[in-house]
């Protein structure tokens, strides 16, 4: 099943009932132009009773028209009303009273039509927004869940900003387009089909001529489809790179300023923005080109058919009201075809976004629970590395090679070595953020792969060299790993980390705010705050 099929099955089908209701309302509202056309026809034929100048009309053998001054048979052009089955019955003129009655009928009918369609359109817009929001809500939840399940190797090769771009910005594009595009596509298709039927009922010959314009729209779609998709795909790629680069530079603003690299970063950012501008303009021009091509086909087709329709009226085979109704029905056919051109461009952009979303959702999860994995309520803390080797990439060098050692419960072990010797890798392997390339790691004689990941990490806490803190209060950060802790337990953890005395000097105490990444704290204070987070969870293994 293609990407669009998967998207429909996973995210649109759960709302099929409301989507069917929306499509039904779309079909009803799409008849608005036809109803107004019918009202106009009734006004012209039954109230104004407009007729072309009465003259003698006679057709020669070749069907050519004869003009005033030539011999011809006098004929009332209103004597033929298509669909009534009374070809030779003239339409009797209406009295003034009858015309006024018709006008009142048309007036109230018009008001009723406007009120009814206004109500339908209001509920239609509500349902469209509801379904769109729900779809985006589910996509973002799925992406967030998947990102939390992925192994660290995924994050090693992705910028944080690029991941955020997919979760928030890419999905945001779907929010405004997905339901509108699907429903509007159905709506326009219904309008095209109904328009063709109405045109054929009004005049078979002119209706068939109108249908001959359809292949030209298909040609316009095909010419612009691929370039639009490629331009938008490239735009989203550069946008994600720009987003990721900006996030990195803001996070490292102190380093950037300390090396006086402002001008260099400005040039890089300017280059990315210039590329985005060029691609956005190219995408816009391609969309405009496709829309303009379809509009040209519509304009030429409408002009030709209106001219031929005028000849039909002059020949007496169409009434003036029928010509007006036919012309309005042409709009009903050609307008949705032009709109479908714009929808087609939107679909190409949606496919790019959907492919980027599924690229994350389809990322293989390499570190996951085995079907028979066990949950450990308590552990003693015996850790054994048995002939463990590890490398980050298949073709890369080994960071660890044939490493074996044992840590007994109740003991403290320090691992000392130069930068790059694999100290952090040992921690990542023990917490199962990575899997060993070779060998086995045991915890209380259980292979780590036989222990549920949530159970394993519940018993291990780590204080990193560079503490990771979150915006919020001091208490929020301390309780991050154990949200149900009591105030006494929070205070005890802070005392053990030698943080309590500092917090008591603050006006807000434990409710003092922690700015982004702890920028309002010193290095030592951040370390003690991270240490209190680890101690509060009462781990069996503390790193």
């Amino acid at each position: 099943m293609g990407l669009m099929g998967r998207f429909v099955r996973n995210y649109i089908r759960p709302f099929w009932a409301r989507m069917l209701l929306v499509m039904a309302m779309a079909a009803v509202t799409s008849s608005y132009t036809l109803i107004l056309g019918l009202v106009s026809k009734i006004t012209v034929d039954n109230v104004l009773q407009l007729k072309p100048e009465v003259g003698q009309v006679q057709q020669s053998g070749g069907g050519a028209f004869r003009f005033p001054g030539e011999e011809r048979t006098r004929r009332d052009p209103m004597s033929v009303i298509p669909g009534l089955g009374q070809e030779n019955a003239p339409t009797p003129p209406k009295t003034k009273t009858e015309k006024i009655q018709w006008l009142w009928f048309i007036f109230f009918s018009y008001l009723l039509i406007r009120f009814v369609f206004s109500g339908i359109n209001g509920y239609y817009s509500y349902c469209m927004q509801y379904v769109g929001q729900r779809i985006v809500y589910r996509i973002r939840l799925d992406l967030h869940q998947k990102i939390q399940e992925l192994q660290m190797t995924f994050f090693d090769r992705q910028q944080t900003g690029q991941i955020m771009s997919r979760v928030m910005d890419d999905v945001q594009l779907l929010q405004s387009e997905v339901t509108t595009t699907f429903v509007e596509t159905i709506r326009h298709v219904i309008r095209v089909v109904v328009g063709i039927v109405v045109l054929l009922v009004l005049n078979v010959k002119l209706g068939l001529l109108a249908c001959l314009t359809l292949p030209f729209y298909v040609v316009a779609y095909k010419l612009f489809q691929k370039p639009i998709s490629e331009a938008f795909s490239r735009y989203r790629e550069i946008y994600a790179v720009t987003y990721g680069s900006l996030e990195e530079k803001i996070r490292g603003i102190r380093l950037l300023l300390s090396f006086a690299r402002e001008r260099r970063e400005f040039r890089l950012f300017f280059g990315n923005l210039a590329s985005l501008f060029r691609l956005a303009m190219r995408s816009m021009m391609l969309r405009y080109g496709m829309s303009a091509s379809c509009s040209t086909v519509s304009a030429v087709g409408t002009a030709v058919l209106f001219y031929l329709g005028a000849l039909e009226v002059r020949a007496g085979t169409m009434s003036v009201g029928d010509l007006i109704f036919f012309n309005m029905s042409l709009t009903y056919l050609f307008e949705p075809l032009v709109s479908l051109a714009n929808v087609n461009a939107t679909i190409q952009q949606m496919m790019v976004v959907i492919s980027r979303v599924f690229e994350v959702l389809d990322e293989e999860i390499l570190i996951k629970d085995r079907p028979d994995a066990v949950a450990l309520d308590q552990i003693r803390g015996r850790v054994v590395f048995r002939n463990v080797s590890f490398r980050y990439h298949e073709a890369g060098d080994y960071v660890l090679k044939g490493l074996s050692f044992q840590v007994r419960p109740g003991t403290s072990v320090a691992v000392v070595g130069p930068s790059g010797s694999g100290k952090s890798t040992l921690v990542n392997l023990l917490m199962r953020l990575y899997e060993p390339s070779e060998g086995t790691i045991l915890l209380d004689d259980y292979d780590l792969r036989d222990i549920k990941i949530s159970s394993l990490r519940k018993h291990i806490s780590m204080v990193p060299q560079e503490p990771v803190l979150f915006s919020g209060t001091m208490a929020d950060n301390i309780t991050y790993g154990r949200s149900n802790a009591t105030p006494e337990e929070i205070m005890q953890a802070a005392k053990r980390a030698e943080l309590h005395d500092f917090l008591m000097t603050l006006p807000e105490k434990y409710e003092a705010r922690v700015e982004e990444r702890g920028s309002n704290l010193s290095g030592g204070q951040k370390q003690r705050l991270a240490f209190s987070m680890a101690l509060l969870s009462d781990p069996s293994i503390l790193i």
Side-chain angles (χ1 to χ4, degrees):
M1 181 179 289
L3 288 178
M4 186 60 74
R6 285 182 59 193
F7 184 78
V8 171
R9 181 190 63 192
N10 295 343
Y11 297 108
I12 294 183
R13 192 169 66 178
F15 307 101
W16 65 270
R18 194 176 288 263
M19 287 293 288
L20 286 177
L21 177 61
V22 169
M23 290 178 185
M25 289 188 293
V28 172
T29 56
S30 66
S31 64
Y32 182 69
T33 305
L34 281 179
I35 294 176
L36 290 184
L38 182 60
V39 171
S40 300
K41 167 182 163 55
I42 294 173
T43 304
V44 171
D45 287 348
N46 294 287
V47 179
L48 301 179
Q49 292 189 309
L50 295 179
K51 303 179 181 180
E53 182 182 351
V54 177
Q56 293 179 349
V57 180
Q58 177 181 336
Q59 295 207 337
S60 62
F65 295 110
R66 295 187 180 276
F67 297 94
E70 302 179 20
E71 277 190 31
R72 50 199 167 182
T73 303
R74 188 176 184 83
R75 185 182 181 190
D76 183 357
M78 291 299 290
S79 62
V80 178
I81 307 285
L84 294 182
Q86 298 177 352
E87 291 193 12
N88 298 318
T91 303
K94 289 181 169 54
T95 65
K96 183 178 179 180
T97 301
E98 289 176 327
K99 288 183 178 181
I100 292 176
Q101 290 174 345
W102 271 104
L103 282 174
W104 278 112
F105 171 76
I106 292 168
F107 173 74
F108 286 113
S109 297
Y110 179 77
L111 287 181
L112 179 63
I113 291 169
R114 289 300 299 265
F115 281 126
V116 169
F117 276 86
S118 176
I120 293 175
N121 277 325
Y123 189 63
Y124 167 80
S125 300
Y126 169 80
C127 290
M128 292 272 284
Q129 184 71 7
Y130 175 85
V131 175
Q133 292 283 356
R134 290 289 296 176
I135 289 172
V136 169
Y137 166 78
R138 292 193 59 178
I139 292 174
R140 282 183 173 149
L141 278 183
D142 289 348
L143 283 171
H144 187 269
Q145 180 67 24
K146 183 59 179 279
I147 287 172
Q148 292 188 104
E149 294 174 352
L150 288 172
Q151 53 281 347
M152 293 302 297
T153 51
F154 171 79
F155 301 96
D156 291 340
R157 63 177 191 269
Q158 296 279 349
Q159 285 181 310
T160 303
Q162 292 192 38
I163 299 174
M164 293 171 60
S165 173
R166 298 198 186 200
V167 175
M168 299 303 296
D169 290 357
D170 284 355
V171 178
Q172 184 68 32
L173 293 176
L174 292 178
Q175 176 176 322
S176 58
E177 301 292 351
V178 62
T179 50
T180 303
T181 300
F182 276 96
V183 175
E184 287 299 306
T185 300
I186 300 297
R187 182 181 188 179
H188 294 321
V189 170
I190 291 173
R191 292 182 66 189
V192 170
V193 173
V194 174
I196 292 173
V197 172
V198 171
L199 292 175
L200 291 174
V201 169
L202 289 175
N203 191 296
V204 175
K205 181 175 68 175
L206 295 181
L208 290 175
L209 289 175
C211 293
L212 291 179
T213 62
L214 299 181
F216 293 98
Y217 291 98
V218 176
V219 172
Y221 294 160
K222 292 298 182 182
L223 285 176
F224 288 92
Q225 179 179 356
K226 186 176 181 181
I228 288 175
S229 178
E230 291 176 347
F232 188 73
S233 178
R234 182 61 181 155
Y235 177 89
R236 294 309 304 173
E237 289 174 2
I238 295 181
Y239 181 88
V241 171
T242 305
Y243 197 120
S245 176
L246 182 62
E247 189 273 337
E248 283 186 341
K249 298 309 182 294
I250 292 176
R251 180 158 41 88
I253 188 66
R254 289 179 176 82
L255 184 66
L256 186 154
L257 296 176
S258 66
F259 280 95
R261 305 299 286 171
E262 295 94 333
R263 291 185 61 83
R264 174 181 177 275
E265 295 302 333
F266 176 82
R267 287 195 298 269
L268 291 175
F269 192 63
F270 174 83
N272 287 335
L273 291 183
S275 297
L276 289 175
F277 173 79
R278 287 192 296 268
L279 287 169
M281 293 302 298
R282 173 173 170 77
S283 180
M284 184 275 293
M285 291 303 296
L286 287 170
R287 294 188 61 161
Y288 174 78
M290 183 165 64
S291 179
S293 299
C294 294
S295 296
T296 301
V297 174
S298 298
V300 173
T302 301
V304 171
L305 290 168
F306 189 76
Y307 173 77
L308 296 175
L311 295 181
E312 293 279 340
V313 172
R314 189 176 183 84
T317 57
M318 286 184 76
S319 69
V320 177
D322 282 334
L323 177 60
I324 294 174
F325 192 16
F326 187 89
N327 191 55
M328 294 185 73
S329 299
L330 274 180
T331 304
Y332 198 79
L333 172 65
F334 289 153
E335 187 179 275
L337 287 172
V338 175
S339 298
L340 280 172
N342 295 323
V343 169
N344 179 60
T346 303
I347 289 176
Q348 300 310 311
Q349 295 179 354
M350 279 182 53
M351 290 303 298
V352 172
V353 174
I354 290 172
S355 66
R356 286 168 58 83
V357 168
F358 278 114
E359 190 176 309
V360 176
L361 294 177
D362 291 340
E363 183 76 22
E364 184 182 3
I365 300 176
L366 302 177
I367 301 178
K368 55 186 176 182
D369 290 330
R370 288 177 172 176
D372 56 348
V374 298
L376 302 180
D377 294 329
Q378 292 182 340
I379 66 171
R380 292 180 292 112
R382 180 172 179 268
V383 176
V384 177
F385 276 61
R386 185 176 295 166
N387 200 30
V388 172
S389 299
F390 176 78
R391 55 183 175 181
Y392 287 97
H393 306 287
E394 290 289 335
D397 295 331
Y398 280 98
V399 179
L400 301 174
K401 184 67 174 176
L403 179 66
S404 297
F405 68 89
Q406 178 180 193
V407 179
R408 294 184 177 84
T411 61
S412 298
V413 173
V415 180
V416 182
S419 177
S421 61
K423 301 185 298 298
S424 299
T425 303
L426 285 178
V427 176
N428 292 330
L429 290 173
L430 178 58
M431 299 191 70
R432 234 190 139 194
L433 299 175
Y434 295 95
E435 295 276 42
S437 303
E438 301 167 12
T440 305
I441 302 176
L442 303 176
L443 176 60
D444 288 354
D445 298 326
Y446 288 95
D447 189 322
L448 292 188
R449 290 166 292 192
D450 294 327
I451 303 173
K452 288 187 176 181
I453 295 175
S454 59
S455 174
L456 171 69
R457 294 172 184 168
K458 182 178 70 174
H459 295 294
I460 303 176
S461 287
M462 179 177 67
V463 182
Q465 182 175 351
E466 297 181 4
V468 178
L469 304 178
F470 301 98
S471 299
T473 66
M474 293 286 187
D476 290 338
N477 276 271
I478 295 173
T479 59
Y480 184 76
R482 186 183 165 195
S483 56
N484 61 347
T486 64
E488 291 75 17
E489 291 172 330
I490 297 172
M491 193 175 299
Q492 183 61 32
K495 289 179 178 179
R496 292 175 62 191
E498 299 182 1
L499 181 67
H500 175 76
D501 292 341
F502 163 71
L503 293 180
M504 297 308 292
T505 65
L506 302 176
E508 299 90 353
K509 306 296 189 291
Y510 280 79
E511 294 303 312
R513 299 292 299 178
V514 177
E515 303 297 337
E516 186 175 6
R517 295 187 301 275
S519 58
N520 58 333
L521 300 175
S522 68
Q525 290 164 351
K526 287 191 285 188
Q527 285 279 4
R528 288 192 289 273
L529 181 56
F531 193 40
S532 64
M533 294 167 63
L535 291 175
L536 184 62
S537 63
D538 192 23
S540 299
I541 298 175
L542 178 62
I543 303 173

